[in-house]
Amino acid sequence: MRSNGGEHEGWLRLALEEARSAGAAGDVPVGAVIVHDGVVIGRGQNRVERLRDPTAHAEMLAIRDASAALGYERLAGAALYVTLEPCAMCAGAIVLARLQRLVYGAADPKTGACGSLRDIVRDTRLNHQVEVAGGVLAETCSGLLKDFFRSKRRTGDTAVEPRLPERCESG
Protein backbone atom coordinates (compact mmCIF):
# COMPACT_ATOMS: atom_id res chain seq x y z
CA MET A 1 0.00 0.00 0.00
CA ARG A 2 1.36 3.39 -0.96
CA SER A 3 0.70 6.28 1.38
CA ASN A 4 1.01 10.04 1.14
CA GLY A 5 2.41 9.65 4.63
CA GLY A 6 1.03 12.78 6.29
CA GLU A 7 0.61 11.13 9.67
CA HIS A 8 3.86 9.20 9.33
CA GLU A 9 6.27 11.90 8.16
CA GLY A 10 7.23 13.13 11.62
CA TRP A 11 8.28 9.66 12.78
CA LEU A 12 10.09 8.99 9.52
CA ARG A 13 12.02 12.23 9.97
CA LEU A 14 13.35 10.79 13.24
CA ALA A 15 14.44 7.71 11.31
CA LEU A 16 16.16 10.04 8.83
CA GLU A 17 18.15 11.56 11.72
CA GLU A 18 19.36 8.05 12.58
CA ALA A 19 20.21 7.44 8.92
CA ARG A 20 22.23 10.64 8.65
CA SER A 21 24.13 9.70 11.79
CA ALA A 22 24.94 6.28 10.31
CA GLY A 23 26.17 7.88 7.09
CA ALA A 24 28.34 10.36 8.97
CA ALA A 25 29.92 7.41 10.79
CA GLY A 26 30.70 5.63 7.51
CA ASP A 27 27.82 3.14 7.44
CA VAL A 28 25.16 3.00 4.75
CA PRO A 29 22.65 5.67 5.85
CA VAL A 30 19.61 3.69 6.96
CA GLY A 31 17.74 4.60 10.12
CA ALA A 32 14.75 3.28 12.02
CA VAL A 33 12.52 4.11 14.95
CA ILE A 34 9.78 2.07 16.62
CA VAL A 35 6.77 3.88 18.05
CA HIS A 36 4.18 2.53 20.48
CA ASP A 37 1.29 4.60 21.81
CA GLY A 38 2.86 7.77 20.42
CA VAL A 39 6.23 7.21 22.10
CA VAL A 40 9.53 6.17 20.52
CA ILE A 41 10.51 2.91 22.23
CA GLY A 42 13.33 1.85 19.91
CA ARG A 43 15.94 3.41 17.67
CA GLY A 44 18.44 1.95 15.29
CA GLN A 45 20.85 2.95 12.59
CA ASN A 46 22.84 0.80 10.26
CA ARG A 47 26.02 -0.31 12.07
CA VAL A 48 27.17 -3.14 9.79
CA GLU A 49 30.54 -1.55 9.05
CA ARG A 50 31.24 -0.26 12.55
CA LEU A 51 30.37 -3.52 14.26
CA ARG A 52 31.55 -5.78 11.41
CA ASP A 53 28.21 -7.54 11.84
CA PRO A 54 26.05 -8.38 8.82
CA THR A 55 22.95 -8.46 11.04
CA ALA A 56 23.44 -4.94 12.43
CA HIS A 57 20.78 -3.40 10.19
CA ALA A 58 18.85 -0.39 11.49
CA GLU A 59 15.63 -2.40 11.78
CA MET A 60 17.26 -5.24 13.72
CA LEU A 61 18.85 -2.83 16.19
CA ALA A 62 15.61 -0.88 16.62
CA ILE A 63 13.70 -4.11 17.30
CA ARG A 64 16.30 -5.14 19.89
CA ASP A 65 16.13 -1.70 21.50
CA ALA A 66 12.32 -1.70 21.62
CA SER A 67 12.15 -5.24 23.00
CA ALA A 68 14.61 -4.30 25.73
CA ALA A 69 12.59 -1.17 26.55
CA LEU A 70 9.39 -3.17 26.89
CA GLY A 71 11.04 -6.17 28.50
CA TYR A 72 9.25 -8.42 26.02
CA GLU A 73 10.01 -9.75 22.54
CA ARG A 74 6.54 -9.08 21.12
CA LEU A 75 5.94 -5.56 19.84
CA ALA A 76 2.20 -5.86 19.16
CA GLY A 77 0.62 -2.51 18.46
CA ALA A 78 3.94 -0.87 17.57
CA ALA A 79 4.99 0.68 14.27
CA LEU A 80 8.42 0.56 12.65
CA TYR A 81 9.51 3.59 10.62
CA VAL A 82 12.55 2.97 8.43
CA THR A 83 14.17 4.94 5.64
CA LEU A 84 14.69 1.97 3.28
CA GLU A 85 12.42 -0.99 2.53
CA PRO A 86 13.57 -3.88 4.74
CA CYS A 87 15.46 -6.89 3.39
CA ALA A 88 14.39 -10.52 3.90
CA MET A 89 16.26 -10.82 7.22
CA CYS A 90 14.66 -7.69 8.65
CA ALA A 91 11.23 -8.57 7.23
CA GLY A 92 11.42 -11.91 9.03
CA ALA A 93 12.33 -10.17 12.28
CA ILE A 94 9.43 -7.73 11.81
CA VAL A 95 7.02 -10.66 11.53
CA LEU A 96 8.55 -12.50 14.49
CA ALA A 97 8.37 -9.35 16.63
CA ARG A 98 4.67 -9.05 15.74
CA LEU A 99 4.95 -5.40 14.74
CA GLN A 100 1.59 -4.02 13.68
CA ARG A 101 2.77 -1.56 11.06
CA LEU A 102 5.75 -0.86 8.83
CA VAL A 103 6.28 2.52 7.22
CA TYR A 104 9.28 2.90 4.92
CA GLY A 105 10.70 5.63 2.74
CA ALA A 106 12.61 4.40 -0.30
CA ALA A 107 11.70 1.17 -2.04
CA ASP A 108 14.52 -1.31 -2.64
CA PRO A 109 13.93 -3.13 -5.94
CA LYS A 110 17.04 -5.31 -5.53
CA THR A 111 16.61 -6.64 -1.98
CA GLY A 112 13.33 -5.24 -0.67
CA ALA A 113 11.22 -7.93 0.99
CA CYS A 114 8.17 -5.83 1.89
CA GLY A 115 6.63 -5.40 -1.53
CA SER A 116 9.38 -4.89 -4.11
CA LEU A 117 11.23 -8.17 -4.65
CA ARG A 118 9.25 -10.23 -2.14
CA ASP A 119 6.50 -9.51 0.37
CA ILE A 120 7.35 -11.45 3.50
CA VAL A 121 5.53 -9.16 5.92
CA ARG A 122 2.16 -9.66 4.20
CA ASP A 123 2.54 -13.35 3.34
CA THR A 124 -0.69 -15.00 4.51
CA ARG A 125 1.10 -18.33 4.92
CA LEU A 126 2.86 -16.89 7.97
CA ASN A 127 1.24 -16.57 11.38
CA HIS A 128 1.38 -12.75 11.40
CA GLN A 129 0.94 -10.07 8.76
CA VAL A 130 1.99 -6.44 8.97
CA GLU A 131 0.28 -3.31 7.64
CA VAL A 132 2.64 -1.59 5.19
CA ALA A 133 2.89 1.97 3.90
CA GLY A 134 5.75 2.60 1.52
CA GLY A 135 7.04 5.65 -0.27
CA VAL A 136 6.77 8.09 2.65
CA LEU A 137 9.41 10.80 2.14
CA ALA A 138 10.76 8.51 -0.59
CA GLU A 139 12.71 11.20 -2.44
CA THR A 140 14.45 12.39 0.72
CA CYS A 141 15.30 8.85 1.83
CA SER A 142 16.46 7.81 -1.64
CA GLY A 143 18.47 11.00 -2.06
CA LEU A 144 20.35 10.36 1.16
CA LEU A 145 21.42 6.92 -0.08
CA LYS A 146 22.32 8.17 -3.56
CA ASP A 147 24.43 11.00 -2.14
CA PHE A 148 26.23 8.58 0.19
CA PHE A 149 27.18 6.16 -2.59
CA ARG A 150 28.03 8.98 -5.02
CA SER A 151 30.44 10.36 -2.41
CA LYS A 152 31.97 6.92 -1.85
CA ARG A 153 32.54 6.45 -5.59
CA ARG A 154 34.02 9.94 -5.94
CA THR A 155 36.57 9.37 -3.19
CA GLY A 156 37.29 5.79 -4.20
CA ASP A 157 36.26 4.62 -0.73
CA THR A 158 35.13 1.01 -0.99
CA ALA A 159 34.84 0.45 2.75
CA VAL A 160 31.16 -0.42 2.45
CA GLU A 161 32.02 -3.14 -0.06
CA PRO A 162 35.16 -4.75 1.36
CA ARG A 163 36.93 -7.66 -0.28
CA LEU A 164 37.35 -10.90 1.59
CA PRO A 165 40.75 -11.50 3.16
CA GLU A 166 42.96 -13.74 1.02
CA ARG A 167 42.57 -16.65 3.42
CA CYS A 168 38.78 -16.59 2.84
CA GLU A 169 38.79 -16.30 -0.94
CA SER A 170 38.21 -19.48 -2.86
CA GLY A 171 40.68 -20.35 -5.51
Side-chain angles (χ1 to χ4, degrees), residues 32-35 40-48 51-75 78-80 87 89-90 92-94 96-99:
V33 296
I34 296 179
V35 177
V40 174
I41 60 168
R43 291 177 176 267
Q45 58 181 250
N46 190 4
R47 292 181 181 269
V48 171
L51 297 177
R52 300 287 187 236
D53 178 355
T55 69
H57 290 196
E59 303 94 322
M60 300 294 284
L61 298 175
I63 289 169
R64 290 176 191 152
D65 192 36
S67 294
L70 293 180
Y72 191 60
E73 72 276 8
R74 301 277 196 264
L75 301 175
L80 169 66
C87 68
M89 174 184 68
C90 294
I94 290 165
L96 291 172
R98 306 295 194 272
L99 282 154

Side-chain angles (χ1 to χ4, degrees), residues 116-128:
S116 290
L117 182 63
R118 299 199 175 353
D119 200 352
I120 293 170
V121 296
R122 290 181 283 202
D123 190 328
T124 57
R125 295 171 295 177
L126 300 176
N127 61 349
H128 178 74

